Amino acid sequence: MNSEYPTRRQFLSASAATLSFPAFAAADIGGGKSITLVVSYPAGGGADAMARLIAPKMAEALGQPVIVDNRPGGSGTIAAGQVARAAPDGTTLLFDASSFAVNPALFPKLPYDSETSFVPIAVIAQFPNVLVCTPGFEARSVADVVRLARAKPDTIAYASSGNGSAQHLSGALFEQLAKVQLTHVPYRGGGPAMNDVMGGQVPLFFANVASSLSLIQAGRLRPLAVTAATRSRALPDVPAMAEAGVPGLEVLEWNPILAPAGITPEVRSKLVAAVARAMGDAEVLGRVRALGGEVFTGKPEQFLKSQQALWARVIKERGITRD
């Protein structure tokens, strides 16, 4: 479930992943060494952009360099495995996507234990998905989609960026809660999927608000509902799923920061404070909200457990696999 929300272009001023500080700076995590955010997805994607947005702000708060290191592959499992094996001194952190909560149920075997190998530092910005359709599609609301799908089960398709992706799981949960049967059409990435929806090859897509916002505003996609508990400030005229008649459908894309198990409470507290300061920065907050996101304000441990439980249930009940 790699987030495809902010692009590198949208965060140009955050493109410098490393900041240098004088030797006398008050750095005391790992003896003042650079802190590495190991990003589980490629450069240019959503997770990478968010990491590069907050890295300079974390560096300012900590007084030592913060570096972004992309280690893509395996839906985030390669980076997670690397960080799980790293020294728990606070200098190596995992910057993942919401796939972290999905992978335990999707992969039969992981190179780490998602419950014991990490200590959560933070969950940062959350971006809702939005159910969009081809502009020429006859449905004008979620109620229309449900009505059409019930009249002709399995005849209405929705695109996704692949099996087990955020879009796939959003569609699976929608089918379950709305009591309808749709046809899932997986693509190799969100870009090709969105292009085919705009072109009319597939009518529906659970897009991320940030990545689809400009296309919605240009009339190339029609929004039907956002998959959040409340409306998105970026799309104030689009109802939340509960308003649209499908209560309980809340699917957010988000980024956790995790440290290897064994990190000391003192070092963890310093990292938590640094992330909080970064996310409270006016520039960071403004950019996140402009793209339809919100800063996470809950408890990371509880949130991660609830997300893992949700997707484990959906994956099992819907028989979802990576193949």
Side-chain angles (χ1 to χ4, degrees):
M1 286 171 75
N2 179 25
S3 311
E4 296 194 23
Y5 30 95
T7 65
R8 187 185 295 261
R9 182 171 297 174
Q10 290 165 319
F11 288 139
L12 278 177
S13 66
S15 61
T18 307
L19 292 185
S20 297
F21 290 85
F24 57 83
D28 56 3
I29 292 179
K33 295 189 298 183
S34 297
I35 294 171
T36 300
L37 296 180
V38 181
V39 180
S40 54
Y41 288 91
D48 174 71
M50 284 303 301
R52 292 176 187 275
L53 177 64
I54 71 167
K57 305 300 182 181
M58 287 181 63
E60 291 174 7
L62 293 168
Q64 62 193 102
V66 177
I67 298 170
V68 173
D69 181 19
N70 300 90
R71 298 283 174 164
S75 294
T77 61
I78 291 177
Q82 175 186 331
V83 174
R85 297 187 296 270
D89 60 0
T91 62
T92 304
L93 305 174
L94 176 65
F95 195 102
D96 209 339
S98 45
S99 53
F100 182 82
V102 176
N103 288 341
L106 204 56
F107 287 86
K109 187 176 182 180
L110 292 170
Y112 56 88
D113 187 319
S114 60
E115 294 186 3
T116 63
S117 296
F118 301 98
V119 173
I121 300 299
V123 172
I124 57 174
Q126 298 174 302
F127 293 84
N129 287 330
V130 54
L131 177 59
V132 296
C133 67
T134 301
F137 187 49
E138 60 183 296
R140 297 285 168 171
S141 66
V142 170
D144 287 343
V145 173
V146 172
R147 174 179 54 79
L148 293 169
R150 287 178 179 172
K152 296 181 179 180
D154 294 319
T155 61
I156 297 177
Y158 70 97
S160 84
S161 59
N163 288 328
S165 65
Q167 299 84 20
H168 182 194
L169 295 177
S170 294
L173 188 57
F174 178 84
E175 289 181 281
Q176 189 176 64
L177 295 176
K179 296 179 174 57
V180 296
Q181 297 176 38
L182 305 176
T183 296
H184 173 226
V185 182
Y187 286 77
R188 292 183 178 273
M194 192 177 295
N195 285 338
D196 270 11
V197 174
M198 286 189 291
Q201 284 80 5
V202 181
L204 299 175
F205 183 52
F206 286 87
N208 186 273
V209 168
S211 62
S212 61
L213 185 58
S214 62
L215 298 171
I216 291 171
Q217 292 171 337
R220 300 183 67 186
L221 293 169
R222 185 165 69 244
L224 300 177
V226 293
T227 62
T230 59
R231 296 190 179 200
S232 168
R233 69 178 71 217
L235 294 169
D237 297 327
V238 180
M241 273 290 175
E243 296 178 76
V246 188
L249 181 58
E250 185 174 0
V251 181
L252 303 169
E253 297 193 34
W254 41 273
N255 296 107
I257 300 178
L258 305 108
I263 189 173
T264 67
E266 179 186 10
V267 172
R268 183 191 183 196
S269 294
K270 291 178 180 178
L271 291 169
V272 168
V275 175
R277 178 172 166 180
M279 295 309 299
D281 180 84
E283 179 186 7
V284 172
L285 184 60
R287 292 183 182 182
V288 168
R289 287 183 170 175
L291 293 166
E294 297 292 342
V295 173
F296 179 81
T297 58
K299 296 182 178 180
E301 296 88 346
Q302 294 179 0
F303 180 73
L304 288 174
K305 288 180 180 179
S306 67
Q307 287 289 293
Q308 287 179 335
L310 168 64
W311 297 122
R313 176 180 61 80
V314 172
I315 287 169
K316 180 179 180 181
E317 292 176 356
R318 304 297 297 180
I320 294 172
T321 65
R322 283 183 51 80
D323 300 325

